Amino acid sequence: MNVLLSWLRDYVDCPASAEKLAELLTFAGVEVEGIHSRGADVPNVVVAQILESKQHPNADRLSVCRVDAGDGAPPRQIVCGAKNYRVGDKVPLALPGAVLPGGLKIKEGKLRGEASQGMMCSGRELGLSEDSDGLLILPADTPLGAPLSAVFPADTVLEVEITPNRPDLLSHVGLAREVAAITGAALRPPEISLAPVASDPGLTIAVDDDARQACPFYTGTRVDGIHVGPSPAWLRSRLEAVGLRAINNVVDVTNYVMLELGQPLHAFDFAKLGGSGVRVRLARDGETLRALDGRDYRLQPHHCVIGDADGRGEALAGVMGGEESGVTAATTSLVLEAAYFQPSRTRRTVRELGLSSDASYRFERGVDPGGVERAARRALALILEVAGGTARPMVTEGDAASLAAPREVPLRLEKLNDLLGITVSEERVDGILSALGLAKAEHGGWEAPSFRGDLQREADLIEEVARVIGLDAIPGRAQGRSAPSGAVDRAYDARLALRRQLAGLGFFEARTLSLVPSRDAAGAPDVIGLRNPLSEDQTTLRPSLVPGLLHCAARNARAGRAVGAAARHRDGL
């Protein structure tokens, strides 16, 4: 996951050096794989406005533009090959003398006979994004003539490797909580301020009984009177800095909140939902859904679908939205979805369809069921800020409280000190676990919050204390002791001696997989197949050693290492 340092600092005071922060996180078990600089620190690149565009007289694919660089000079003539701009757009303009990140030097010249006094740039040419399909269109309120470094200030991105058992760290606030616990700094979660809402929800939500296991909790909120368009500069720049492409202000808000709080969301165009409602159900056998990636997917009856009240599928639960109901520039009313989807069901769907997304990456690891409504309110507040409109009351289906109920985990101070080999005061332990979001229980244990599903046992809490203290602060001690051999040791020695004797007599040892293709088990009685095989060659428990040995012999023969040939060579035949 990419973490923007300036974004992280909104929620916690970090060390001044990115390298120091990376060291602290790595020693606490959160590996930082790389540190990258971001921003547009390119001299002689400014914000310009396109005043006029006409066809190049000598080239069908080129245009000749008049551009105002905001410096009081007469408009410059620029020859451009992009097609994604309109007159009035603001774009980055590299003036003569600029040197772009790839080493390209900009100078005045002629293109097919027409003078060009600079170059309008794409995001990729400036090192800001991977998008090279056209010019980088800047928000309309970007100051004319401003250096691009002021629009995209220098920043740092940490490339963090998050282990599967820590989905709570797949967000900036989650990682800020970790930093706060390690450094002792205060955590500043984002404040949520929602304007008054209309009284009528204007929306129905239903979850079928057979889909409640896949979707235990679902919320939907209708927002009317929105204006979909480009996102403000602060929103675009943060998303692009961590590798996401800005789409429009509504979709960008859902992605922003996902990266901020770790809760994926999705917005439907309300006008495209038949029956003015949402129905969560299991897919019909053979049903197909066109996802936002433009591909059609054939669904199976155990896949969970977000459909409309008329029964049409609109999204694949926990994975990706549908193309037909996506938010576009014509959208004036939307439904914001926030939900908790069962991780195992999401993992199976992703694997079977070969379809993954940033949302499914989080859902299949487990999002915080106690944070679903909070994330929805945060997204609603931002949508109202950047797209206007009026939010209606949130409609919920399911019991979030039972999903988010804290688990009491025992912890004995004596056991902690015994395992760590050092003395940690009760006050220090209380401070560490409280900073990590746990609450002390009445009977001496600790209540693990819903976003820390990995904390189940006493040893887990001891490990948390050790991580924050720092494993390097725990002194090493020699603990090795000799022990008399037991029955297990003697049996192992006997097996090893027998294997060596057999090898000395010319036998070969083969270690093969216990899983074989179903064709190798055909005809065998009581064959046991796997529900979720890893591959087509590992679908069935082997009923005999023979298939594995035959495959091994065939593979050796293809590699020129056949057993028979080796034996003949040894015997001099």
Side-chain angles (χ1 to χ4, degrees):
M1 185 184 77
N2 291 332
V3 177
L4 188 63
L5 192 53
S6 63
W7 195 351
L8 187 67
R9 285 179 172 146
D10 285 351
Y11 315 122
V12 68
D13 292 330
C14 299
S17 166
E19 288 73 16
K20 179 61 175 177
L21 175 60
E23 181 182 354
L24 288 173
L25 290 172
T26 300
F27 273 101
V30 184
E31 184 179 358
V32 178
E33 293 190 329
I35 302 175
H36 310 286
S37 297
R38 298 287 300 182
D41 189 15
V42 186
N44 291 330
V45 179
V46 300
V47 177
Q49 186 171 31
I50 301 174
L51 303 178
E52 180 184 293
S53 177
K54 61 182 180 180
Q55 178 66 46
H56 193 295
N58 303 317
D60 293 339
R61 297 185 178 182
L62 298 178
S63 301
V64 180
C65 302
R66 289 177 62 250
V67 177
D68 180 8
D71 55 0
R76 289 172 168 81
Q77 179 170 296
I78 307 293
V79 178
C80 178
K83 300 296 182 184
N84 67 319
Y85 65 87
R86 295 180 296 179
V87 172
D89 282 346
K90 292 181 179 179
V91 298
L93 174 64
L95 300 172
V99 180
L100 300 186
L104 177 63
K105 298 180 180 179
I106 305 301
K107 57 184 179 180
E108 292 191 27
K110 287 189 175 182
L111 290 176
R112 303 295 294 270
E114 292 291 327
S116 186
Q117 301 170 299
M119 187 179 83
M120 296 187 289
C121 304
S122 68
R124 186 169 187 174
E125 290 165 335
L126 296 168
L128 294 173
S129 70
E130 295 299 318
D131 189 1
S132 60
D133 293 338
L135 301 180
L136 175 61
I137 307 299
L138 301 173
D141 58 355
T142 308
L144 185 64
L148 201 64
S149 58
V151 181
F152 298 97
D155 210 332
T156 302
V157 173
L158 302 180
E159 187 180 349
V160 183
E161 179 66 26
I162 306 298
T163 54
N165 67 319
R166 292 299 306 275
D168 60 297
L169 297 181
L170 291 172
S171 67
H172 282 73
V173 169
L175 200 63
R177 184 186 297 108
E178 191 81 356
V179 173
I182 296 170
T183 63
L187 179 66
R188 301 184 297 270
E191 296 182 358
I192 301 175
S193 177
L194 264 178
V197 298
S199 58
D200 179 17
L203 174 71
T204 61
I205 290 179
V207 179
D208 288 2
D209 290 340
D210 58 358
R212 289 189 179 276
Q213 183 180 9
C215 178
F217 184 62
Y218 189 93
T219 75
T221 309
R222 177 176 165 181
V223 184
D224 298 322
I226 62 169
H227 299 280
V228 179
S231 294
W234 67 267
L235 180 53
R236 289 170 56 97
S237 62
R238 284 196 165 179
L239 292 180
E240 290 170 352
V242 295
L244 288 186
R245 181 173 61 90
I247 299 174
N248 60 52
N249 48 9
V250 171
V251 176
D252 292 349
V253 163
T254 63
N255 286 331
Y256 182 89
V257 174
M258 177 184 68
L259 295 173
E260 180 184 63
L261 299 178
Q263 170 67 46
L265 305 112
H266 183 67
F268 299 96
D269 187 326
F270 178 73
K272 298 176 182 176
L273 296 179
S276 301
V278 173
R279 176 188 168 198
V280 183
R281 58 175 175 81
L282 297 184
R284 295 182 289 270
D285 192 17
E287 181 178 0
T288 60
L289 175 71
R290 172 159 293 187
L292 285 172
D293 63 356
R295 296 175 56 191
D296 292 326
Y297 293 90
R298 187 177 181 85
L299 308 182
Q300 299 182 38
H302 55 267
H303 294 154
C304 187
V305 171
I306 311 300
D308 59 21
D310 290 343
R312 187 179 64 214
E314 303 291 355
L316 192 57
V319 182
M320 189 174 289
E323 187 178 71
E324 293 184 3
S325 59
V327 171
T328 66
T331 302
T332 59
S333 182
L334 63 82
V335 173
L336 180 68
E337 167 195 280
Y340 177 82
F341 298 112
Q342 187 187 51
S344 60
R345 185 77 66 110
T346 306
R347 283 195 298 271
R348 183 179 182 184
T349 301
V350 167
R351 185 168 59 250
E352 290 176 343
L353 297 181
L355 174 64
S356 63
S357 63
D358 289 325
S360 68
Y361 187 82
R362 288 161 173 81
F363 277 124
E364 60 185 306
R365 284 158 177 78
V367 301
D368 175 17
V372 174
E373 291 187 64
R374 173 178 170 79
R377 291 195 301 270
R378 172 64 169 163
L380 287 169
L382 290 175
I383 288 173
L384 298 180
E385 176 185 336
V386 303
T390 303
R392 293 172 179 254
M394 183 183 298
V395 183
T396 64
E397 185 70 25
D399 185 7
S402 60
L403 293 170
R407 300 173 309 282
E408 184 170 341
V409 183
L411 179 63
R412 294 164 292 172
L413 187 63
E414 299 80 8
K415 181 68 172 179
L416 182 146
N417 289 329
D418 183 52
L419 278 181
L420 297 186
I422 59 175
T423 300
V424 186
S425 68
E426 183 176 359
E427 182 180 2
R428 182 79 189 279
V429 172
D430 291 355
I432 291 173
L433 295 180
S434 297
L436 289 170
L438 285 80
K440 202 162 190 177
E442 295 180 0
H443 305 294
W446 286 82
E447 292 182 347
S450 55
F451 57 81
R452 288 302 304 270
D454 59 309
L455 302 181
Q456 302 283 343
R457 305 171 301 160
E458 185 177 35
D460 297 331
L461 300 189
I462 296 174
E463 181 184 8
E464 292 299 292
V465 174
R467 285 194 315 107
V468 174
I469 290 176
L471 296 178
D472 56 326
I474 300 176
R477 298 178 181 177
Q479 298 289 342
R481 299 176 182 175
S482 60
S485 61
V488 174
D489 300 314
R490 290 190 291 272
Y492 174 81
D493 292 340
R495 288 195 303 270
L496 184 60
L498 178 60
R499 290 165 63 190
R500 287 174 175 169
Q501 292 174 10
L502 291 173
L505 293 172
F507 286 88
F508 293 86
E509 180 181 10
R511 292 190 177 186
T512 60
L513 295 175
S514 58
L515 299 174
V516 297
S518 57
R519 62 179 178 274
D520 289 350
D526 301 325
V527 173
I528 300 176
L530 300 186
R531 289 183 178 179
N532 299 309
L534 296 176
S535 69
E536 293 182 358
D537 293 331
Q538 300 179 31
T539 61
T540 308
L541 287 174
R542 62 185 179 192
S544 166
L545 297 177
V546 173
L549 292 174
L550 291 176
H551 282 297
C552 185
R555 186 163 51 250
N556 287 335
R558 289 194 298 270
R561 300 291 296 174
V563 173
R568 287 194 299 273
H569 178 73
R570 182 194 63 213
D571 296 336
L573 299 177

